[in-house]
Amino acid sequence: MSKFKLQVQEDESHADVWHDVKGASGELLTFDQDADARAKLKELYPVLVKLEEFAAGPKRTRVVSVSPYADIDDERDK
């Protein structure tokens, strides 16, 4: 079963650099449902999300589906 995480692009001049969104404790925010992840994204980044809805700027937020085995794959590629 996939989980979902949030990512944000903090500098629009570097379109290829995305950062995972972490909670107050410093841990990666993950969600079981896509809708829950999107709701949190709207809560944390309301201006960016609203701009994207109206195509008033570049895409700077996203919800990413992650495999429960993503950590294993990441370690293998290092």
Short mmCIF file of all heavy atoms in Angstrom, two decimals, residues 1 10 13 19 22 30 39 42 46 48-49 55 57 59 63-64 66-67 74 77:
data_model
loop_
_atom_site.label_atom_id
_atom_site.label_comp_id
_atom_site.label_asym_id
_atom_site.label_seq_id
_atom_site.Cartn_x
_atom_site.Cartn_y
_atom_site.Cartn_z
N MET A 1 0.84 -1.18 0.00
CA MET A 1 0.00 0.00 0.00
C MET A 1 0.90 1.25 0.00
O MET A 1 1.82 1.36 0.78
CB MET A 1 -0.90 -0.02 1.22
CG MET A 1 -1.80 1.15 1.31
SD MET A 1 -2.96 0.92 2.67
CE MET A 1 -3.88 2.38 2.46
N GLU A 10 10.99 25.55 -3.05
CA GLU A 10 11.13 26.82 -2.35
C GLU A 10 11.72 27.93 -3.20
O GLU A 10 11.55 29.10 -2.91
CB GLU A 10 11.95 26.60 -1.08
CG GLU A 10 11.21 25.70 -0.11
CD GLU A 10 12.01 25.31 1.10
OE1 GLU A 10 13.09 25.88 1.32
OE2 GLU A 10 11.55 24.42 1.83
N SER A 13 13.45 29.57 -9.21
CA SER A 13 14.53 29.65 -10.20
C SER A 13 15.29 28.33 -10.32
O SER A 13 16.09 28.16 -11.24
CB SER A 13 15.49 30.79 -9.86
OG SER A 13 16.15 30.53 -8.64
N HIS A 19 11.78 19.83 -1.97
CA HIS A 19 12.08 19.45 -0.61
C HIS A 19 10.88 18.75 0.01
O HIS A 19 9.75 19.20 -0.18
CB HIS A 19 12.44 20.67 0.25
CG HIS A 19 13.62 21.43 -0.28
ND1 HIS A 19 14.91 21.05 -0.04
CD2 HIS A 19 13.69 22.52 -1.06
CE1 HIS A 19 15.74 21.88 -0.64
NE2 HIS A 19 15.02 22.79 -1.26
N LYS A 22 8.34 18.43 6.31
CA LYS A 22 8.46 17.73 7.60
C LYS A 22 7.59 18.43 8.64
O LYS A 22 7.31 19.62 8.54
CB LYS A 22 9.92 17.70 8.04
CG LYS A 22 10.77 16.91 7.05
CD LYS A 22 12.20 16.84 7.46
CE LYS A 22 12.95 16.03 6.40
NZ LYS A 22 14.36 15.90 6.71
N THR A 30 3.76 12.00 6.34
CA THR A 30 3.21 11.02 5.40
C THR A 30 1.74 10.80 5.71
O THR A 30 1.30 11.00 6.85
CB THR A 30 3.96 9.67 5.46
OG1 THR A 30 3.87 9.14 6.78
CG2 THR A 30 5.42 9.82 5.05
N ALA A 39 -5.14 18.02 1.51
CA ALA A 39 -5.74 18.94 2.49
C ALA A 39 -4.65 19.58 3.35
O ALA A 39 -4.69 20.78 3.63
CB ALA A 39 -6.75 18.20 3.36
N LYS A 42 -2.78 22.22 1.36
CA LYS A 42 -3.54 23.48 1.32
C LYS A 42 -3.43 24.24 2.63
O LYS A 42 -3.38 25.46 2.64
CB LYS A 42 -5.02 23.20 1.03
CG LYS A 42 -5.34 23.00 -0.40
CD LYS A 42 -6.84 22.87 -0.58
CE LYS A 42 -7.19 22.84 -2.03
NZ LYS A 42 -8.65 22.79 -2.23
N PRO A 46 -1.21 27.67 1.63
CA PRO A 46 -2.46 28.09 0.98
C PRO A 46 -2.26 29.01 -0.22
O PRO A 46 -2.97 28.89 -1.22
CB PRO A 46 -3.22 28.80 2.10
CG PRO A 46 -2.17 29.23 3.08
CD PRO A 46 -1.10 28.18 3.00
N LEU A 48 0.44 29.27 -2.32
CA LEU A 48 1.00 28.54 -3.47
C LEU A 48 -0.04 27.63 -4.10
O LEU A 48 -0.15 27.56 -5.34
CB LEU A 48 2.22 27.72 -3.04
CG LEU A 48 3.46 28.51 -2.65
CD1 LEU A 48 4.57 27.57 -2.20
CD2 LEU A 48 3.94 29.39 -3.78
N VAL A 49 -0.80 26.93 -3.28
CA VAL A 49 -1.82 26.02 -3.81
C VAL A 49 -2.89 26.80 -4.58
O VAL A 49 -3.29 26.41 -5.67
CB VAL A 49 -2.45 25.17 -2.68
CG1 VAL A 49 -3.65 24.39 -3.18
CG2 VAL A 49 -1.41 24.23 -2.09
N ALA A 55 -3.59 28.67 -12.18
CA ALA A 55 -2.48 28.72 -13.14
C ALA A 55 -1.83 30.10 -13.16
O ALA A 55 -1.42 30.60 -14.20
CB ALA A 55 -2.95 28.31 -14.53
N GLY A 57 0.90 30.86 -11.56
CA GLY A 57 2.33 30.75 -11.32
C GLY A 57 2.79 29.34 -11.60
O GLY A 57 1.99 28.46 -11.90
N LYS A 59 4.19 25.52 -10.95
CA LYS A 59 3.87 24.49 -9.97
C LYS A 59 4.98 24.44 -8.93
O LYS A 59 6.13 24.22 -9.26
CB LYS A 59 3.74 23.14 -10.68
CG LYS A 59 3.41 22.02 -9.76
CD LYS A 59 2.02 21.53 -10.06
CE LYS A 59 1.70 20.31 -9.23
NZ LYS A 59 0.76 20.61 -8.20
N VAL A 63 2.01 16.46 -4.23
CA VAL A 63 1.83 15.27 -3.40
C VAL A 63 2.44 14.12 -4.18
O VAL A 63 2.16 13.95 -5.37
CB VAL A 63 0.33 15.02 -3.12
CG1 VAL A 63 0.14 13.68 -2.42
CG2 VAL A 63 -0.26 16.15 -2.30
N VAL A 64 3.29 13.36 -3.52
CA VAL A 64 4.01 12.27 -4.17
C VAL A 64 3.63 10.96 -3.51
O VAL A 64 3.64 10.84 -2.28
CB VAL A 64 5.54 12.50 -4.04
CG1 VAL A 64 6.31 11.37 -4.69
CG2 VAL A 64 5.93 13.83 -4.65
N VAL A 66 4.57 7.37 -2.42
CA VAL A 66 5.83 6.69 -2.10
C VAL A 66 5.56 5.24 -1.73
O VAL A 66 4.57 4.93 -1.07
CB VAL A 66 6.59 7.39 -0.95
CG1 VAL A 66 7.11 8.73 -1.39
CG2 VAL A 66 5.76 7.53 0.29
N SER A 67 6.44 4.40 -2.15
CA SER A 67 6.35 2.99 -1.86
C SER A 67 6.81 2.74 -0.42
O SER A 67 7.70 3.42 0.07
CB SER A 67 7.26 2.23 -2.83
OG SER A 67 7.52 0.93 -2.35
N ASP A 74 16.43 3.68 -1.92
CA ASP A 74 17.32 4.84 -1.76
C ASP A 74 18.69 4.41 -1.26
O ASP A 74 19.71 4.91 -1.72
CB ASP A 74 16.71 5.85 -0.80
CG ASP A 74 15.52 6.57 -1.39
OD1 ASP A 74 15.32 6.51 -2.61
OD2 ASP A 74 14.79 7.22 -0.62
N ASP A 77 20.83 2.79 -4.03
CA ASP A 77 21.34 3.72 -5.05
C ASP A 77 22.49 4.59 -4.55
O ASP A 77 23.14 5.24 -5.34
CB ASP A 77 20.21 4.63 -5.55
CG ASP A 77 19.18 3.83 -6.34
OD1 ASP A 77 19.54 2.74 -6.82
OD2 ASP A 77 18.04 4.30 -6.44
#
